[in-house]
Amino acid sequence: MRLVEPVVPAAPAAEAQEDMGDVGPAFAPEERVRGDVRSGGARAGDRRSSVAAAPAERGAGLTELPDAQLVVLGARGDVGALEQLYRRHVAFAIHLATRIEGSARDVEDIVHDAFLRAFERLDDLVDPAAFRAWLGSIIVHKVRSRMRRARLLGVLGMGKSSEPVDLDALASPAASPHARAQIAQIYALLQTLPADDRIAWILRSVEGHDLETVAQMTDCSLATVKRRISRAQHFLDGHFVDSTSSEASS
């Protein structure tokens, strides 16, 4: 079952997927999602030393520096470097949080909290060049915590059972009405799954990350990630209804 062509091409998943319908590029690109929200371990000594050994010329501007140098400067208290990291990766962060959440609601707060946590712990980043992936793992952790809290409140009768799917934030302007209906149905089904299964499936099948990257972003083993994706896939296979196929068979 294949939902869309992933935003980032990736190798086929280890689990076989049946065709859910050729939706095409139905999801909104990263810059579109960004427009929906206002922008607002141990040290790796050798790596940091090599980065710091080539200091940036301020005349060239911080925009020309790679993430690795910005991280080193930011860890030393350079506010300009932190601002550049934020500007460079805020669209990615909003995009990722919105896809997992299924809505742009509260995404701004999640993203801002994630950046604050990242900036406070820059010294913990083993590989300064891996800031983007590290930020992604922080986003995943914060969204997972929010999902679990919302699920608990729902069970206790103290909150909404589920958030409405925000198709304007998720779907591309070019998406057909059929594609938008498919996205709405898939996210409605995903909202009934445990947060870990839902997140793993979205990172793999929607975001197009390989299994190893999904395991890193969710901080679990490769075997665990495969099980989570397989459970979510099995559930969607059993409950997703393709109206096109239904009409063709009738």
Side-chain angles (χ1 to χ4, degrees):
M1 175 172 61
R2 180 169 57 86
L3 172 58
V4 295
E5 295 299 329
V7 176
V8 180
E15 299 77 20
Q17 296 185 354
E18 297 176 3
D19 193 0
M20 184 186 282
D22 190 6
V23 179
F27 282 98
E30 186 170 296
E31 288 302 318
R32 166 91 192 289
V33 175
R34 180 182 181 181
D36 291 329
V37 183
R38 298 187 307 275
S39 62
R43 299 187 186 184
D46 293 340
R47 287 177 178 171
R48 290 190 182 279
S49 296
S50 64
V51 172
E57 294 183 5
R58 281 291 176 173
L62 292 171
T63 58
E64 304 300 323
L65 296 183
D67 284 355
Q69 284 184 273
L70 291 174
V71 167
V72 172
L73 292 172
R76 294 173 177 172
D78 190 317
V79 177
L82 297 178
E83 180 181 358
Q84 182 57 35
L85 284 170
Y86 177 85
R87 291 180 179 275
R88 186 175 295 178
H89 298 290
V90 65
F92 156 77
I94 291 172
H95 165 91
L96 178 62
T98 302
R99 289 283 181 83
I100 297 174
E101 277 277 332
S103 170
R105 181 180 179 180
D106 297 330
V107 162
E108 183 179 4
D109 290 338
I110 292 172
V111 168
H112 286 176
D113 287 348
F115 270 103
L116 284 174
R117 181 173 178 80
F119 290 161
E120 290 170 354
R121 300 184 59 183
L122 283 179
D123 283 338
D124 294 340
L125 181 55
V126 174
D127 181 3
F131 177 82
R132 185 184 181 97
W134 185 58
L135 176 66
S137 67
I138 296 174
I139 292 285
V140 168
H141 175 76
K142 288 193 171 294
V143 174
R144 180 200 292 134
S145 296
R146 184 179 183 277
M147 284 181 178
R148 288 177 170 173
R149 183 169 61 251
R151 193 179 185 92
L152 174 61
L153 291 176
V155 170
L156 297 175
M158 300 170 61
K160 296 180 179 179
S161 58
S162 63
E163 294 286 352
V165 176
D166 186 354
L167 284 176
D168 289 335
L170 292 171
S172 165
S176 67
H178 176 64
R180 289 171 66 90
Q182 285 188 317
I183 293 172
Q185 182 186 172
I186 290 165
Y187 268 86
L189 291 171
L190 289 172
Q191 285 179 340
T192 68
L193 292 176
D196 288 333
D197 292 0
R198 171 180 172 178
I199 290 171
W201 190 89
I202 290 174
L203 290 175
R204 176 66 183 123
S205 299
V206 177
E207 291 297 284
H209 293 297
D210 58 47
L211 294 171
E212 289 76 12
T213 300
V214 176
Q216 292 173 1
M217 294 180 74
T218 56
D219 192 26
C220 63
S221 69
L222 189 60
T224 298
V225 159
K226 289 180 179 180
R227 285 195 298 272
R228 291 174 179 175
I229 294 174
S230 180
R231 283 196 300 264
Q233 191 69 57
H234 180 73
F235 177 80
L236 291 174
D237 286 343
H239 293 82
F240 180 81
V241 177
D242 187 346
S243 58
T244 302
S245 300
S246 299
E247 292 172 1
S249 61
S250 60

